[in-house]
Amino acid sequence: MKKLLIGYQTAVDGLEKACMAVAIVLTGLLFLISAYEIIANQLVGNSPVWVEEVSNLLFAWAIFIGAGVIARHGGHIGVELLYEMVGPSLQAVLKAGYTLLTLVVVFVMVYFGWEMALFVGKYQTSLYLDISLFYYYLSVPVGGALLGLFSVAAALPDPRDKADLTQTAGV
C-alpha cells in the first residue's frame, strides 16, 4: 500500500508541475493579449474583436486548471478555526467529509460539464473566430477531473514526508 501511495503522490506531483506550467503560459498569453488590446485601442481607437473571445477561453482554462492545484495545498475556502479546535480523530472525520463533498462536486463538474460541452459544441461556435464552444466548456470537466485527483492526493497520507524526515535526521 505504501508503494501505491508513493506512486500516486509522485504522479500527482508531476501532474501538478505540468498544470502549473500550463496555467502560467495561459496567464501570460492572457496578459499579452490584454496588453495588445489596450495598445491597439490607444493607437487605432478600436480594439480587435477576437481579443475578448480568446481572453475568455484562456481565462477559463487557467482558472479550472489552477483550481485543482490550489485544492491540493488547501488554498480553497475552509473552516480552519473549527478544524483546529477539535482533536485528531475528529479532524480525520472532517477531512474525509470534506473530501467526499469535494468528490460530489467533482462528479457534477465532470459529468454535467462534459454533457454541456458536447451539447453546446454541436450547435454553437464563437461569434468572431468561429471556434466550437466545445473547447470553452471542456475546461469544466477537465478542471473537475484535476480537482478530484488533487483533492484525493491532499486527503491521502504521503509516506514520503516521513521518509524525508528520517533521511535527513542523521545529517
Side-chain angles (χ1 to χ4, degrees):
M1 183 66 162
K2 184 176 178 180
K3 286 184 178 183
L4 182 65
L5 287 173
I6 290 172
Y8 184 74
Q9 294 290 358
T10 303
V12 172
D13 285 346
L15 183 61
E16 179 182 344
K17 288 178 184 174
C19 286
M20 285 301 294
V22 169
I24 287 169
V25 168
L26 293 175
T27 305
L29 288 172
L30 181 61
F31 172 77
L32 291 174
I33 289 172
S34 298
Y36 171 72
E37 178 184 27
I38 293 168
I39 292 168
N41 192 22
Q42 292 297 316
L43 293 177
V44 182
N46 197 1
S47 298
V49 293
W50 56 269
V51 171
E52 185 177 348
E53 289 182 3
V54 174
S55 295
N56 288 339
L57 182 64
L58 294 174
F59 183 74
W61 278 97
I63 292 299
F64 281 111
I65 288 173
V69 175
I70 291 170
R72 186 171 189 203
H73 297 286
H76 289 289
I77 296 174
V79 186
E80 292 295 321
L81 181 65
L82 174 67
Y83 187 77
E84 292 172 359
M85 289 174 43
V86 299
S89 59
L90 194 53
Q91 283 180 349
V93 170
L94 288 173
K95 191 175 188 179
Y98 174 78
T99 303
L100 287 175
L101 287 173
T102 302
L103 292 177
V104 169
V105 171
V106 164
F107 172 77
V108 170
M109 287 177 69
V110 171
Y111 180 77
F112 292 106
W114 179 252
E115 292 293 319
M116 180 64 91
L118 288 177
F119 176 76
V120 172
K122 282 183 186 177
Y123 303 109
Q124 295 182 4
T125 59
S126 63
L127 185 60
Y128 298 109
L129 296 177
D130 200 34
I131 298 172
S132 172
L133 291 185
F134 173 79
Y135 301 109
Y136 288 77
Y137 284 89
L138 185 62
S139 63
V140 176
V142 170
L146 291 171
L147 178 65
L149 291 170
F150 289 128
S151 295
V152 168
L156 291 174
D158 190 352
R160 300 172 304 168
D161 292 339
K162 294 175 185 171
D164 291 340
L165 291 175
T166 57
Q167 289 174 359
T168 58
V171 176

